């Protein structure tokens, strides 16, 4: 289904592909398919999605991937922009 969605989006709204790729990465993380999730995140990073959604969701998913692998990950921009308690 995601592949069909990407095929439809690519010619009509290529900028929104990163949103769908983030959904793909999230589904793969939940299924424990970490290498495939990492691949989807790499594709999302290359696409030109809606800045705010993609940046925040991408960072969340990268952190989740690292956590599941027993590693740490941070995003300097998010850390810098976060308010107290965030």
């Amino acid at each position: 289904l995601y592949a069909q969605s990407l095929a439809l989006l690519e010619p009509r709204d290529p900028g929104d592909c990163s949103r769908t790729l983030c959904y793909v990465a999230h589904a793969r993380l939940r299924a424990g398919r970490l290498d495939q999730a990492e691949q989807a995140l790499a594709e999302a990073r290359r696409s030109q999605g809606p800045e705010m959604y993609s940046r925040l969701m991408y960072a969340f998913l990268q952190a989740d991937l690292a956590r599941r692998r027993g590693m740490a990950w941070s995003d300097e921009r998010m850390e810098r922009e976060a308010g107290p308690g965030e």
Side-chain angles (χ1 to χ4, degrees):
L1 203 54
Y2 288 119
Q4 290 174 342
S5 178
L6 287 168
L8 289 172
L9 281 173
E10 192 69 49
R12 297 187 69 198
D13 190 5
D16 208 29
C17 287
S18 65
R19 179 188 306 257
T20 299
L21 288 163
C22 282
Y23 293 147
V24 170
H26 188 234
R28 290 175 177 171
L29 283 169
R30 291 179 50 101
R33 296 164 41 196
L34 304 185
D35 290 338
Q36 291 175 346
E38 184 174 36
Q39 183 180 25
L41 287 171
E43 291 177 45
R45 185 173 188 194
R46 286 189 297 269
S47 79
Q48 303 173 21
E51 166 62 23
M52 188 53 138
Y53 175 85
S54 294
R55 183 176 63 83
L56 296 175
M57 192 63 181
Y58 176 82
F60 167 79
L61 294 169
Q62 280 285 42
D64 190 28
L65 176 63
R67 179 188 62 81
R68 290 171 187 264
R69 288 184 167 159
M71 301 165 42
W73 187 89
S74 66
D75 179 279
E76 285 185 37
R77 184 173 170 187
M78 287 184 72
E79 295 294 332
R80 189 173 54 248
E81 293 175 2
E86 292 186 64

